[in-house]
Structures are given as structure tokens and as C-alpha cells.
Amino acid sequence: MQTRFFTINDHPQGTPARELFDLHEQALPDLAEGEVRIRNRWLSVDPYMRGRMSGVTTYIEPFELNAPLEGAAIGEVIESRDANFPVGTKVRHMGGWRDIAQLPAAELETLPTFEVPEQAYLGVLGMPGMTAWTGLNLIAEMQEDNNVLVSGAAGAVGSLAVQLAKAKGGTVVGIAGSQEKLDWLEAHGVKAVSYQGKDAAQLTEALNAACPEGFDVYYENVGGTCLEAALNTLRVGARIAVCGMIARYNDDTPSAGPGNLAMILIRRARMQGFIVFDHWDHYPQFLEEVGPQVENGRIDYEETIEEGLERTPDAFLKLFEGANRGKMLVRL
Amino acid sequence: MQTRFFTINDHPQGTPARELFDLHEQALPDLAEGEVRIRNRWLSVDPYMRGRMSGVTTYIEPFELNAPLEGAAIGEVIESRDANFPVGTKVRHMGGWRDIAQLPAAELETLPTFEVPEQAYLGVLGMPGMTAWTGLNLIAEMQEDNNVLVSGAAGAVGSLAVQLAKAKGGTVVGIAGSQEKLDWLEAHGVKAVSYQGKDAAQLTEALNAACPEGFDVYYENVGGTCLEAALNTLRVGARIAVCGMIARYNDDTPSAGPGNLAMILIRRARMQGFIVFDHWDHYPQFLEEVGPQVENGRIDYEETIEEGLERTPDAFLKLFEGANRGKMLVRL
């Protein structure tokens, strides 16, 4: 059986170009004992993958050049030499960026059984959802009635973070770019602030207008101007969960950081970076809390879907243009 | 009875000038019930006072123009209308920047009774010592054998932080400026690194050479280039206790921050600002742990002493020239 998969042919400088990605086709070896063959139905593309392309170890091993790329995917078992994963089982695994994956059974998870579309386990009930929940609860230790600010608030992670925060009762403000994203936020009870055309002082002013009492929690997905403005609006004892800083992922040389970092001292604030994989032992707790809310529609989510394996690099590149609302997915 | 005290006549921009400070003399009112009169013997000057001069509320109320400045001081009760503080009692209080203080008894603390010079309760066993201990233990949660980096390592706070860290067993590296300070650090078993003449990349290289495994804890007193270099040398899960950022206290306009703040994410690090006054309920625990070590000489400390009330502003201004080793004091 043939598999088709993407590789990268270089370590990109700056924003990756479409030419970075090559599509290959090759024959799969016979299944070994304990291996499983999966026909992928959904592929996930995520901002953190940019870090794995840089050729240096950050918090995760870098992608190898000219080897199949990896990422979360959902598919159905089509051939199996492991009794726990019979043919027909729906599974999640990291053998994405390809159509047919062949993996040891130890690297597969059977999908949970909430009444949700299967691709939800790549988004709202998958890594991005778990990331939102972890940042708010385990890192920022959000309390009832806390005022919460979220940057990248209409993205895959941010859009769940604002809803989880909203459910706990305080004022929730989301920073986003396009009018469409701002409208989505407002429709979900979130005060929406646009970063577009604003420097840090102007963004600070807009955040102060949206929440004059200031923020107890800042959920950071973006960095840059958003971070600088957020630092100006912290309450004493505030916690910043640093989930990502997408504004800078494609920078060749580091840009200067915020000039007001002393606000960390003045507001006795705490800023903490985290990687969701370090906290995966809490995934069952997350599912138990959030799964029913997705099932019954209390938590809403958006998807932006590209069709066909060939479009996977395009879907990935769109993440850096802010072109997605909610989770960016590829359907095969 | 007359009291002489200092005031400021303006909110300084940039580095304060000597002319900012005025010495006044005025008669004290009669003692009210519950009040105590103290002849000050030692005055403390500290970097945090610069923040109180700026006219804005940061983490502490600003100094009022043309009103007596405040600061820690030690003296002896010379007249009392409170039974807990009879004449002759040695006390610590916040009525510094003056020779005779008159205060409600509730604002006085009787000095503890370790066999140490009384001014130690303004330094190694006072606010700076408690600040070092709080940052390492309560904020950075230092563990046995952690590698610890301290900036401003020969200052009042830093010089105790390096010794407390050293006692817990890991590699301790201190950043300082002058050769005299570097020598003091080396004599106390601390690897000394000079920041002078180095940009962030060069300072990073020097820190890597001093501790190739990287740091679990960074005790931040300085900011600027020190912070940028430190961020490059963190181990996964590192904690930064932000005690001060003296490099920037006299800046008129904020300088840009470190361009490598994403290291907080990459190393899943935590950065937390703190003010020792928030943690003062731990002062007895600090005294119990550190007092005996100062008494028996296991913890060493330095003092830089200016003589006479008139020299108080000069002592304060020298803090920003790095002219002090250890605690800067004024003896009356």
C-alpha cells in the first residue's frame, strides 16, 4: 500500500514559503506485530509546528529534513496487528501530514465517545482545547469572577479560553484582528478589542476602556504589542499564562521586547510559559469538565477547513496570516 | 525638641540631583499618649526609594513633596508615652531621613537579640536580608543543589542571596561590576561574572562558561542586559524572582525590553515580581533561619557607611553609581 506524506526541504528563515514543502509517495512495509495502519480523515496544523521547522531543539524535537512531518491526526484503523485496535476503530495519533499512517499501537489513542463530530478531538476537545484549559486553570490559576484578557482570542486556543473564562463569571476581553473575529467574540459575550492600527499605548487605552478595573489573568497567545499593552493593565497579583507568541515565530532576528517589563514587579505579577504536553496527565479531568459542555452546545467552536492532503501546507501557512477562525483543519 | 529631616522639592526626571533634597529643622510637638520619641542612630537608604520619588503610586505610596521622607531606621527611645517602649529601648521603624523621630508605638519594633551589631537589622537581618531570603525561598522556590544566578550580586540583597544559595549546594554565579565586588564574590565561593563592557550576547557567553548546565533560579536585581543574558541560560522549569530592575529606575522613557522573552515559553519558565512587605509575616521564620548564621559568622556581610545626617542624600545617590558594597547606611 502506498502512503503520501509531506516533508520540508530546508529550515526556513522568516515566514515559510510554499516551496518549502514537498509531497512524496512511497510504499509502506508490511505491518509488524503490534503495528496498526490508519487511513487519516482529519489532519491538524498548529502554530507550534513552526518551531519544529527551525532545526533547533526548543521545547520539542525539531522536524528532520526530508522525513515525514508529524502532527495530530484522526483516522480509522484499516489494518491491524494489535488486538486493542481492531479494523474500524477511530483513533487519534501524531502521524499527520500524510494520508496513510502506520504506527505502533502504543502511539494511538481510541477516540472518546462524546456526541461530537470526530474532528472535535483535534480542536475543542483536543490539544488546543486542553491548552486553553491548562493555561487558565493550572498555570494562571484563574479564580471565580477574575477579569481575564485573552490575545489571539478567536483562534483555536483563544476561542475556547474566552468561553471557559466567561463561564467563571468575570469580565472577559478578547484581542483579535478582523471584524469577523471581533463579531464572533461579541456574539459570545466577550468584549472584543482590535489590535489593528494600534500601537501599545493605543491598545492599552482600548483595554482600559473595556475593563477599567484591570485584569487578574492574561492568556498570552501573541506577544509583541499585545503583551506590552497587557502588562499595563494588570491588577496586583495578576498571572500571565504564556501559551504562545505567534507575532514573533517568523522573525529572523529577535525584535525588542516590551519596555514595560517592570510592571511584573510593580504589580507583583507572575508570568509563566507552559507546554500542554507537560500537563497531559490532566487530560481526563479536562475531558470530564469540558466534554459535556461541548456536547450540549454550551461551548461553541469554529473550524476552518481545507480540503485534501495537497492543501496541508497552505492550511499551515494561513495560520500566520490570521486567516483561520477557530481550529484550522485539513479534511482528507 | 528640634528635629532635622530631609524632603524632596520635586519629582525627579532621570537620575536625581543632590539639589532635589532639602534639609529642614522644626520643633516637635509634645508627645501624645501612645507616642514615642526616638533618637535615630542608623538610617537606611535603598533603591526602592527612587520609585517613591516619582510622584506616582507603584507598589507603594509616593513620597509627598516637602514632607519628611521615610525609610527604615534604628534608634533608641529617648521619651515615651507607651509602656511597651520605655526609654532606652532599641527600636526599628520607618521614620528615617531624620535625626529625631516621633511616632505612634504601633509603628515601632523592638530589635531582636542576636549578638550582632544593631545596624545588621537594617541590612543582613533587616529588609534587604529578608528580601534575599523571600525571593529565593518563597518566590523562586529554590531547591537543594539548584544552580542559581544573581545579578547585583555584591549589593545589599544580592550579597546575601548568593550566600544563602551557596549554603544549599548548587553552583552559584553572581553578576557584578567592579573588580572589588568580583573579588568579594570569588572569596565567598561564588563564580563572579562582570557585566562591564559586555552586550547581552557576550554576557550570555560568560554565564555559559561559568555554568554550562544553566540555571534553575535567577534572582533579578538589575534588569536590562542582565535579564536578557539570564533568559538565554535558563534550564527547563526555571524560576525568576524579580526583586528589582535598578538599571532602569532612572530612565525617563522606557527602554526596550529583552528581545528573547520567548525563552519564558521555550524553557517553561516562571518569572514573578515580588515586594518583601507582602511577605513580612515570614520575618520570624527568616530570623530563626538566618539570625544564628549571621551571629556565628557563617554568613558574611558588608556595609558602606556615610557619616552624618547631612550625607543621607549622597548615600542614596551612590546606590545608582554602584558605589556601595553590601548595605548602604548612614550613621548619625
Side-chain angles (χ1 to χ4, degrees):
Chain A
M1 186 172 221
Q2 298 293 108
T3 178
R4 293 189 306 149
F5 58 90
F6 276 98
T7 64
I8 53 172
N9 50 45
D10 199 1
H11 300 302
Q13 305 282 318
T15 306
R18 180 64 182 78
E19 295 69 42
L20 179 72
F21 300 90
D22 296 319
L23 183 59
H24 300 263
E25 179 160 2
Q26 79 184 25
L28 288 165
D30 289 343
L31 273 192
E33 181 61 36
E35 281 192 340
V36 175
R37 192 171 284 172
I38 304 123
R39 183 181 305 281
N40 283 335
R41 173 75 176 153
W42 295 93
L43 307 181
S44 180
V45 289
D46 301 279
Y48 81 87
M49 294 171 172
R50 176 63 183 84
R52 297 191 70 180
M53 292 176 186
S54 64
V56 293
T57 299
T58 54
Y59 46 79
I60 188 167
E61 287 300 306
F63 286 135
E64 274 179 61
L65 297 186
N66 305 311
L69 295 172
E70 295 174 353
I74 282 174
E76 188 175 321
V77 175
I78 54 172
E79 200 181 332
S80 179
R81 294 191 63 190
D82 185 282
N84 295 312
F85 295 95
V87 169
T89 310
K90 298 278 183 66
V91 293
R92 182 172 59 189
H93 58 86
M94 289 299 288
W97 291 85
R98 72 196 78 177
D99 54 4
I100 307 292
Q102 186 162 316
L103 295 167
E107 298 180 14
L108 309 179
E109 292 173 277
T110 302
L111 288 193
T113 55
F114 292 102
E115 295 274 335
V116 297
E118 61 188 11
Q119 72 273 23
Y121 297 108
L122 292 180
V124 65
L125 292 180
M127 190 268 283
M130 174 66 183
T131 301
W133 182 89
T134 298
L136 277 184
N137 292 288
L138 305 182
I139 306 300
E141 299 179 303
M142 184 192 171
Q143 308 298 311
E144 297 283 330
D145 297 325
N146 274 184
N147 295 341
V148 176
L149 175 65
V150 180
S151 61
V157 172
S159 61
L160 185 58
V162 292
Q163 292 181 83
L164 291 174
K166 193 78 200 158
K168 281 199 175 179
T171 299
V172 181
V173 177
I175 304 175
S178 70
Q179 190 57 49
E180 196 184 15
K181 290 179 176 182
L182 299 170
D183 291 345
W184 184 89
L185 289 167
E186 291 284 352
H188 288 78
V190 175
K191 293 189 181 183
V193 170
S194 174
Y195 65 79
Q196 285 185 352
K198 294 194 180 83
D199 64 16
Q202 293 163 324
L203 186 53
T204 300
E205 202 175 322
L207 295 177
N208 283 335
C211 184
E213 314 82 32
F215 297 99
D216 304 287
V217 168
Y218 174 44
Y219 195 108
E220 167 67 303
N221 288 307
V222 175
T225 306
C226 292
L227 175 58
E228 185 163 346
L231 285 167
N232 290 331
T233 62
L234 299 180
R235 302 177 87 168
V236 167
R239 288 86 61 202
I240 303 176
V242 182
C243 167
M245 290 186 168
I246 197 171
R248 296 286 156 77
Y249 287 3
N250 289 326
D251 287 359
D252 272 340
T253 50
S255 312
N260 60 345
L261 206 51
M263 295 305 291
I264 293 278
L265 178 58
I266 293 169
R267 298 291 154 75
R268 291 97 110 183
R270 189 178 77 198
M271 180 172 183
Q272 185 169 353
F274 73 102
I275 307 299
V276 70
F277 305 114
D278 287 345
H279 304 274
W280 207 256
D281 56 323
H282 287 86
Y283 184 67
Q285 186 187 347
F286 157 76
L287 267 190
E288 192 180 318
E289 272 184 48
V290 181
Q293 297 186 65
V294 175
E295 203 167 37
N296 69 22
R298 275 205 309 277
I299 283 181
D300 192 18
Y301 60 98
E302 302 265 329
E303 294 168 344
T304 303
I305 298 174
E306 294 282 324
E307 300 285 347
L309 178 67
E310 295 77 4
R311 299 282 302 159
T312 310
D314 307 274
F316 172 70
L317 294 174
K318 282 187 177 182
L319 292 171
F320 300 95
E321 299 159 13
N324 57 308
R325 205 167 65 239
K327 180 68 189 117
M328 180 67 94
L329 294 164
V330 180
R331 177 161 45 200
L332 304 193
Chain B
M1 185 173 224
Q2 297 294 108
T3 179
R4 294 190 305 151
F5 58 88
F6 276 98
T7 64
I8 52 172
N9 50 45
D10 199 0
H11 300 301
Q13 305 282 318
T15 306
R18 181 64 183 78
E19 295 68 43
L20 179 71
F21 300 90
D22 296 319
L23 183 59
H24 300 263
E25 180 160 1
Q26 81 185 24
L28 288 166
D30 289 342
L31 273 192
E33 182 62 35
E35 281 192 340
V36 176
R37 192 170 284 172
I38 304 125
R39 183 181 305 280
N40 282 335
R41 172 74 176 156
W42 295 95
L43 306 181
S44 180
V45 288
D46 301 279
Y48 82 86
M49 294 170 172
R50 175 64 183 84
R52 297 192 69 181
M53 292 176 185
S54 64
V56 293
T57 299
T58 54
Y59 46 80
I60 188 167
E61 287 300 305
F63 287 135
E64 275 179 61
L65 296 185
N66 306 312
L69 295 173
E70 294 174 354
I74 281 175
E76 189 175 322
V77 175
I78 54 172
E79 202 180 329
S80 178
R81 293 190 64 188
D82 186 282
N84 294 313
F85 295 95
V87 170
T89 310
K90 299 277 183 67
V91 294
R92 182 173 59 190
H93 58 87
M94 288 301 286
W97 292 86
R98 71 196 78 176
D99 54 4
I100 307 290
Q102 185 161 317
L103 296 167
E107 297 181 13
L108 309 179
E109 292 173 277
T110 302
L111 289 193
T113 55
F114 291 101
E115 294 274 336
V116 297
E118 62 188 14
Q119 72 273 22
Y121 297 108
L122 292 180
V124 64
L125 293 181
M127 189 269 282
M130 174 67 182
T131 302
W133 182 89
T134 299
L136 278 183
N137 292 288
L138 305 182
I139 306 300
E141 299 180 303
M142 184 192 170
Q143 308 297 311
E144 298 282 330
D145 298 324
N146 274 185
N147 295 341
V148 177
L149 175 65
V150 180
S151 61
V157 173
S159 61
L160 184 58
V162 292
Q163 292 181 82
L164 291 174
K166 193 76 201 158
K168 281 200 175 177
T171 298
V172 181
V173 176
I175 305 175
S178 70
Q179 191 56 49
E180 195 184 15
K181 290 179 176 181
L182 300 170
D183 291 345
W184 184 89
L185 289 166
E186 291 283 352
H188 289 77
V190 175
K191 294 189 182 184
V193 170
S194 175
Y195 65 79
Q196 285 186 352
K198 295 195 180 82
D199 64 16
Q202 292 164 324
L203 186 53
T204 300
E205 202 175 322
L207 296 177
N208 282 335
C211 183
E213 314 81 33
F215 297 100
D216 304 287
V217 168
Y218 174 45
Y219 194 108
E220 168 67 302
N221 288 306
V222 175
T225 308
C226 292
L227 176 58
E228 185 163 347
L231 285 167
N232 290 331
T233 62
L234 299 180
R235 302 177 87 168
V236 167
R239 288 86 61 201
I240 302 176
V242 183
C243 167
M245 290 186 168
I246 196 171
R248 296 285 156 78
Y249 287 5
N250 288 327
D251 287 359
D252 272 342
T253 50
S255 313
N260 60 345
L261 206 52
M263 295 305 292
I264 293 277
L265 178 57
I266 293 169
R267 298 291 153 75
R268 291 96 112 184
R270 189 179 76 197
M271 180 171 182
Q272 185 169 354
F274 73 102
I275 307 299
V276 69
F277 305 114
D278 287 345
H279 304 274
W280 206 257
D281 57 324
H282 288 86
Y283 184 66
Q285 187 188 346
F286 157 75
L287 267 189
E288 192 181 316
E289 272 184 47
V290 181
Q293 298 185 66
V294 175
E295 203 167 38
N296 69 24
R298 275 205 310 276
I299 283 180
D300 192 20
Y301 60 98
E302 303 263 329
E303 295 168 344
T304 304
I305 298 174
E306 295 281 326
E307 299 286 346
L309 178 67
E310 296 77 4
R311 300 281 302 159
T312 310
D314 307 273
F316 171 71
L317 295 173
K318 281 187 176 181
L319 292 170
F320 300 93
E321 298 160 13
N324 57 308
R325 204 167 65 240
K327 179 68 189 117
M328 180 67 95
L329 294 165
V330 180
R331 176 161 47 199
L332 305 191

